[in-house]
Amino acid sequence: MATLCASPSPGKRPRSSDDGTSAGTALNQDVSKSNIENDPTTEPIRINMGRGLLIGGIALVGAIGFLVVLSGSGSGHDSNPLASTYISRKLSSPYGDISQMDENFASLVDPPDALTETGIFFHIPKAGGSAMEYMYGFCFDLTLATEVGGNPDFVQGIDPSELSVFSTDWDVQMVNVDSTTLDGLDRAKKLGLAQSGFADIIFTSYIHQAAKLFSPLYRGRVFTVMRHPIERAASEFFYLQDASWEETYSPETKSWTIQEYAASDRAEHDWITKQLLGTWQELTEEDLQKAMYILEDKVLIGLIDRMEESVDRFNRYFGWEESPDKVPCAEDMLGHKSSTGSNSHAHPKVVPGSDDWEALAAINRYDIQLYDFAVALFEEQGILFEDPEDEES
């Protein structure tokens, strides 16, 4: 049975509107940043959210500072490729149909604003997202918005007309909204989730639609973990056969081959690219460019096969620290001490170049290109986390 909380988790308070009411009851009011900054009730937010965003901010502002080099001033250093690429994209920003994401999700080159921004995790199935959810909720004691917030077993007795934070049986703080469904996102927007400051991280696969939770005043900072699309598709195929506890459980597929699966309507086609764009229509090369723009300008990239380094970047960027009394919880969750990890699903591997591989590649050609681009971005984003002293040496 869930233990109810009448207020946000310890150390967090709802962000305030300029008349002092909480965001959950003042949804449509403009918020004066100067008033909020001077409001003593928001100090815990500034402390908790700003603790590590400052770290990321220093790095990001440093990246912007390299633009001086681009102007030709003689500093004796080469120009920063990450900054120049981002800024050229930022200035062109040609994609009107993703304008809400462009406006409401912070750019990686924008200095973080600890007071008004919320982390949002783009959850890609079978790419480590469930482990991330449990790790940050349990090991780091962060307050999350996930599917649990819409589960009647946990929100029974909580007033659905306003935001609340409750504790689960596994000792994780959750907001009483379901951020993993479209209806849940509509409700979260209506209740002012982004303005409230209740959630440290919002988890969702509907990243395109989740942009509506935010505004230019209260922006989301997006991060994700990605996996090679063929490996992810194979994992999904075998998971369908075994996960009897899931709604997607399909025991009939146990007799299928991967090629039969790829030819069926059960298989996903370029799922990541389509989720970024909020469409299930056939994709074009222009659509791929739009998805690449979103990743490059808005998303801090993690890779499942470099999970330890990815999580380290996330923690430094947002300033998250594992609860001292739960170490080595995160290490165990990520599988650093075992070859399988605690949340993995063992299955046969698909051999690159095989008929099975090619069958899955044929229905994920845009996702494969997007993944290759994301891997290159991961390397470029490493600039944001370099130690200036190491760079000078």
Side-chain angles (χ1 to χ4, degrees):
M1 186 67 181
T3 301
L4 306 185
C5 294
S7 61
S9 55
K12 291 181 67 66
R13 296 192 183 187
R15 295 168 184 153
S16 300
S17 67
D18 52 7
D19 67 354
T21 58
S22 68
T25 57
L27 306 181
N28 299 315
Q29 299 181 17
D30 291 332
V31 177
S32 167
K33 183 177 176 182
S34 61
N35 286 349
I36 295 175
E37 289 174 339
N38 294 325
D39 183 350
T41 66
T42 64
E43 183 176 3
I45 299 173
R46 292 194 294 273
I47 294 173
N48 291 338
M49 298 182 65
R51 183 173 52 192
L53 283 178
L54 179 61
I55 299 173
I58 293 172
L60 291 171
V61 172
I64 298 172
F66 272 97
L67 293 178
V68 176
V69 178
L70 300 180
S71 66
S73 59
S75 63
H77 297 286
D78 293 332
S79 62
N80 185 323
L82 183 64
S84 61
T85 302
Y86 277 150
I87 294 301
S88 65
R89 290 268 191 165
K90 183 76 174 172
L91 293 178
S92 57
S93 189
Y95 307 120
D97 57 338
I98 57 171
S99 59
Q100 193 170 48
M101 300 179 79
D102 212 21
E103 293 174 358
N104 296 350
F105 289 152
S107 171
L108 289 180
V109 299
D110 290 339
D113 186 337
L115 179 63
T116 61
E117 295 176 348
T118 302
I120 180 165
F121 183 80
F122 176 30
H123 187 166
I124 299 171
K126 313 311 299 175
S130 296
M132 294 285 291
E133 183 178 315
Y134 184 84
M135 181 190 72
Y136 279 122
F138 181 76
C139 305
F140 285 69
D141 288 332
L142 298 180
T143 301
L144 311 180
T146 71
E147 73 283 355
V148 176
N151 188 326
D153 292 339
F154 293 102
V155 298
Q156 185 177 7
I158 299 178
D159 185 352
S161 68
E162 61 183 23
L163 292 174
S164 299
V165 173
F166 63 93
S167 180
T168 67
D169 294 339
W170 57 96
D171 194 28
V172 173
Q173 301 294 308
M174 297 281 185
V175 185
N176 64 327
V177 294
D178 183 353
S179 55
T180 67
T181 67
L182 294 177
D183 287 343
L185 289 174
D186 286 340
R187 179 171 173 271
K189 175 179 172 58
K190 196 172 299 183
L191 294 178
L193 177 62
Q195 300 97 311
S196 74
F198 276 42
D200 293 302
I201 312 175
I202 300 170
F203 283 80
T204 188
S205 294
Y206 291 105
I207 193 64
H208 182 93
Q209 293 85 347
K212 67 186 175 186
L213 297 179
F214 303 94
S215 71
L217 283 177
Y218 293 100
R219 298 186 302 179
R221 282 204 173 260
V222 186
F223 65 114
T224 193
V225 174
M226 299 188 71
R227 183 181 187 181
H228 194 286
I230 305 306
E231 295 176 358
R232 197 183 74 80
S235 179
E236 188 73 34
F237 169 62
F238 290 110
Y239 190 73
L240 289 174
Q241 303 172 6
D242 299 331
S244 58
W245 56 91
E246 297 279 12
E247 293 182 0
T248 55
Y249 176 53
S250 303
E252 68 276 9
T253 61
K254 290 184 177 182
S255 63
W256 291 11
T257 66
I258 285 182
Q259 294 173 57
E260 289 173 330
Y261 169 70
S264 76
D265 59 3
R266 295 291 184 89
E268 297 170 346
H269 292 226
D270 293 308
W271 185 92
I272 301 172
T273 306
K274 289 179 178 179
Q275 286 295 107
L276 284 169
L277 300 179
T279 181
W280 290 108
Q281 303 300 317
E282 289 297 317
L283 297 174
T284 65
E285 291 296 326
E286 182 183 5
D287 292 327
L288 176 62
Q289 293 302 313
K290 294 175 185 178
M292 287 180 172
Y293 168 78
I294 295 169
L295 283 190
E296 184 175 35
D297 193 60
K298 306 295 182 184
V299 184
L300 184 62
I301 303 292
L303 301 175
I304 196 169
D305 56 359
R306 295 173 68 174
M307 191 63 115
E308 183 174 1
E309 183 179 0
S310 300
V311 169
D312 178 67
R313 289 185 182 185
F314 299 154
N315 294 344
R316 292 172 61 189
Y317 186 72
F318 288 98
W320 295 327
E321 296 180 356
E322 186 173 8
S323 297
D325 60 330
K326 294 181 179 178
V327 175
C329 168
E331 184 178 2
D332 291 342
M333 173 53 59
L334 294 175
H336 294 168
K337 290 189 173 180
S338 76
S339 59
T340 59
S342 60
N343 195 47
S344 62
H345 176 250
H347 60 80
K349 303 298 182 184
V350 177
V351 179
S354 65
D355 290 342
D356 287 348
W357 183 280
E358 295 303 325
L360 293 174
I363 60 174
N364 288 286
R365 68 187 188 95
Y366 288 114
D367 272 8
I368 292 172
Q369 294 178 72
L370 188 67
Y371 175 79
D372 290 341
F373 182 72
V375 172
L377 280 182
F378 181 84
E379 299 298 338
E380 288 188 356
Q381 289 177 0
I383 295 172
L384 304 180
F385 302 94
E386 288 179 349
D387 188 330
E389 295 183 1
D390 293 340
E391 189 175 331
E392 290 176 3
S393 61

